[in-house]
Amino acid sequence: MSGTKATLTINDKSIDLPVSSGSLGPDVIDVKDVLAQGYFTYDPGFMATAACESKITFIDGDKGILLHRGYPIDQLATGSDYLETCYLLLNGELPSPQQKKDFVDLVTQHTMVHEQLTFFYRGFRRDAHPMAIMCGVVGALSAFYHDNLDINNPEHRRIAAIRLIAKIPTIAAMSYKYSVGQPFAYPDNKLGYAENFLKMMFAVPAADYEVNPVLAKAMDRIFILHADHEQNASTSTVRLTGSTGANPYACIAAGIAALWGPAHGGANEAVLKMLDEIGSVENLDKFLAKAKDKNDSFKLMGFGHRVYKNFDPRAKVMKQTCDEVLAALGINDPQLELAMKLEEAARNDPYFVERKLYPNVDFYSGIILKAIGIPTSMFTVIFAVARTVGWISHWLEMHDAPYKIGRPRQLYTGYTQRDFVPEDKR
Ligand code: CMC
């Protein structure tokens, strides 16, 4: 449809705006020319704004479709593994067996962190939230890996990407170990990515630790399902930060900060806190009423999504994994039962049905993580571990083409110009 134009008429003035088509998804109206005519466009929350061109991930929220480099998420979650998905996101194609082996070997070589970094942790209070530690420590990586900070050098960009993907589970597990007062566990390069993470989380020097393969598979699937999600708030933050020329570690630290909020990655932790607050099945009706009350700030955490207005395709696979994990572990936890009852009640409630508020990926991931034994405060950290590849893939894509500094405009509604009043006249 190239050559199509949209015409914007303001009073008696018309502006022709070019319309571009992608390979999938709605056409986009290129609004750059409105600036020359003395206008800005206004779209709070970027509900209808395409801020960049990308080939990495496609979402059709109405149809519940999520594709990474063209491959449906459910096929990747059931047929691939996390590091293969990372290769796909970074490089655009699935690896050959040799490419996969080389990539896994490369990531594995970089799992350790600089020993000096371990001292950095001691600056945090023991009771610090692990996400607070993550923001600080990941940002600090730029102080440890000076040899790859030239963002104009493609080789530096590549090695920073590999380092981030390789080290983030180590840094995440260290954040947990620090908070519980246990010694840090070094990575074990004989193990796969998810297994290694579980071992670094739960092994102690005083005892042997065997990774349960059911839990390792579930962990790997959680990583795949959170690996990327198009131009979400944290990825857009990484792109915006990257557009200033900031180094990759600073950009990923910015992404981690954006992810922390309860409307985004913090939702998986918020789900469990909400279940705590609800307490028991008898209170369900009361809390459903609160969630529907416009004068009450309470929301059902783990329900609803900015883009998915049908169902979250990640949630479908996550629910299946959730059932498998709970069955394999023979778990009989009243809080998990409460979660299942809440899901059932919300799915049959006209308020949630009419507004297309379905359980999202974080509703089930929180439940699985709890069953695996991961403490609630680590839930969003795990999301950050998984999403690092998505962030860095978008950062690389941005740097592989010319880009401009991200600089939104505003609708100013403050005072017009007025004269300064000296202190004695106020
Ligand atoms: N509980 C109760 N009501 C809700 C909820 C909820 N979780 N989510 C949306 N609504 C209502 C909202 O009040 C509004 O009602 P009305 O039309 O009567 O004013 C309607 O549904 C539309 O909601 P919205 O706020 O316009 O939707 P949004 O696209 O701006 O927000 C959201 C999406 C994810 C921020 C929101 O649904 C939410 O806060 N959910 C809970 C937090 C959550 O689970 N977040 C994780 C998202 S998945 C992980 C990720 O990708 O980051």
Side-chain angles (χ1 to χ4, degrees):
M1 262 226 286
S2 107
T4 308
K5 287 205 179 320
T7 306
L8 178 68
T9 305
I10 307 169
N11 299 326
D12 54 352
K13 197 155 74 182
S14 286
I15 313 171
D16 278 343
L17 302 169
V19 177
S20 306
S21 301
S23 46
L24 288 170
D27 289 346
V28 301
I29 303 168
D30 183 339
V31 294
K32 276 196 299 294
D33 290 349
V34 302
L35 182 63
Q37 304 296 328
Y39 295 99
F40 295 152
T41 55
Y42 183 61
D43 180 21
F46 308 120
M47 303 283 288
T49 295
C52 64
E53 199 179 308
S54 182
K55 292 183 169 57
I56 301 174
T57 291
F58 172 76
I59 300 174
D60 183 328
D62 292 328
K63 297 197 183 116
I65 293 172
L66 168 59
L67 309 175
H68 291 322
R69 302 287 192 182
Y71 296 105
I73 188 64
D74 54 324
Q75 292 182 22
L76 291 171
T78 51
S80 183
D81 57 60
Y82 180 66
L83 280 185
E84 184 172 74
T85 304
C86 289
Y87 183 99
L88 174 70
L89 288 166
L90 289 168
N91 298 294
E93 297 296 338
L94 288 168
S96 67
Q98 187 59 45
Q99 285 169 327
K100 181 168 175 180
K101 182 181 176 310
D102 292 347
F103 180 73
V104 172
D105 287 349
L106 181 64
V107 171
T108 307
Q109 274 167 32
H110 285 278
T111 50
M112 284 176 70
V113 293
H114 194 294
E115 193 63 15
Q116 189 75 23
L117 195 77
T118 58
F119 301 115
F120 199 82
Y121 281 79
R122 299 196 187 141
F124 292 100
R125 283 173 54 139
R126 285 277 172 193
D127 59 355
H129 193 288
M131 278 301 273
I133 299 182
M134 292 295 285
C135 292
V137 174
V138 173
L141 289 178
S142 47
F144 287 86
Y145 300 101
H146 300 284
D147 58 334
N148 60 275
L149 293 182
D150 178 3
I151 57 152
N152 297 313
N153 180 331
E155 199 38 46
H156 281 208
R157 298 202 296 266
R158 277 270 128 194
I159 197 64
I162 297 297
R163 278 184 169 149
L164 276 157
I165 294 164
K167 293 180 199 311
I168 199 90
T170 313
I171 292 170
M174 286 167 76
S175 307
Y176 171 60
K177 286 295 196 194
Y178 182 76
S179 71
V180 289
Q182 290 180 7
F184 297 138
Y186 284 105
D188 180 347
N189 286 352
K190 289 191 300 300
L191 300 178
Y193 196 86
E195 288 172 299
N196 192 20
F197 175 65
L198 289 175
K199 186 170 174 197
M200 288 189 289
M201 281 286 295
F202 296 120
V204 288
D208 290 336
Y209 179 79
E210 282 292 316
V211 183
N212 178 334
V214 176
L215 303 192
K217 187 176 156 213
M219 197 70 246
D220 196 70
R221 202 169 266 184
I222 288 177
F223 286 154
I224 297 175
L225 292 171
H226 287 88
D228 188 42
H229 212 227
E230 205 226 53
Q231 311 306 326
N232 56 84
S234 56
T235 302
S236 298
T237 302
V238 170
R239 279 188 179 261
L240 194 60
T241 312
S243 79
T244 69
N247 76 66
Y249 304 106
C251 294
I252 301 305
I256 293 172
L259 186 75
W260 194 0
H264 191 11
N268 50 15
E269 179 175 346
V271 169
L272 268 282
K273 285 191 175 145
M274 171 190 74
L275 292 173
D276 261 347
E277 199 185 339
I278 297 176
S280 67
V281 178
E282 298 82 70
N283 297 329
L284 268 184
D285 286 346
K286 187 173 106 200
F287 279 90
L288 282 171
K290 274 164 76 64
K292 295 187 268 186
D293 180 354
K294 290 282 154 249
N295 299 316
D296 193 319
S297 61
F298 178 82
K299 273 188 171 180
L300 277 197
M301 300 315 287
F303 282 78
H305 199 273
R306 165 56 63 82
V307 178
Y308 296 121
K309 300 298 178 193
N310 182 336
F311 66 92
D312 180 340
R314 303 167 299 171
K316 238 180 169 177
V317 190
M318 201 63 100
K319 180 168 168 49
Q320 189 192 328
T321 310
C322 186
D323 295 341
E324 281 167 21
V325 169
L326 297 186
L329 297 178
I331 279 186
N332 196 3
D333 177 339
Q335 198 171 45
L336 300 180
E337 263 173 46
L338 173 64
M340 296 308 153
K341 290 265 185 285
L342 172 64
E343 180 201 345
E344 195 189 323
R347 294 186 79 138
N348 290 313
D349 186 310
Y351 173 94
F352 293 92
V353 175
E354 279 157 21
R355 286 171 181 73
K356 302 186 175 173
L357 300 169
Y358 296 89
N360 57 48
V361 66
D362 284 332
F363 184 71
Y364 301 109
S365 69
I367 296 169
I368 302 175
L369 291 171
K370 176 165 194 236
I372 293 179
I374 307 267
T376 316
S377 62
M378 282 296 289
F379 288 6
T380 313
V381 173
I382 284 167
F383 194 156
V385 169
R387 185 55 60 83
T388 294
V389 69
W391 292 328
I392 206 74
S393 300
H394 284 269
W395 181 84
L396 287 171
E397 183 180 63
M398 191 181 86
H399 282 285
D400 280 343
Y403 60 89
K404 281 190 166 307
I405 183 170
R407 182 27 175 118
R409 308 306 287 250
Q410 63 174 3
L411 172 64
Y412 177 70
T413 53
Y415 287 112
T416 54
Q417 184 169 331
R418 51 186 180 152
D419 287 329
F420 175 74
V421 183
E423 196 174 340
D424 60 346
K425 300 258 165 45
R426 286 176 222 159

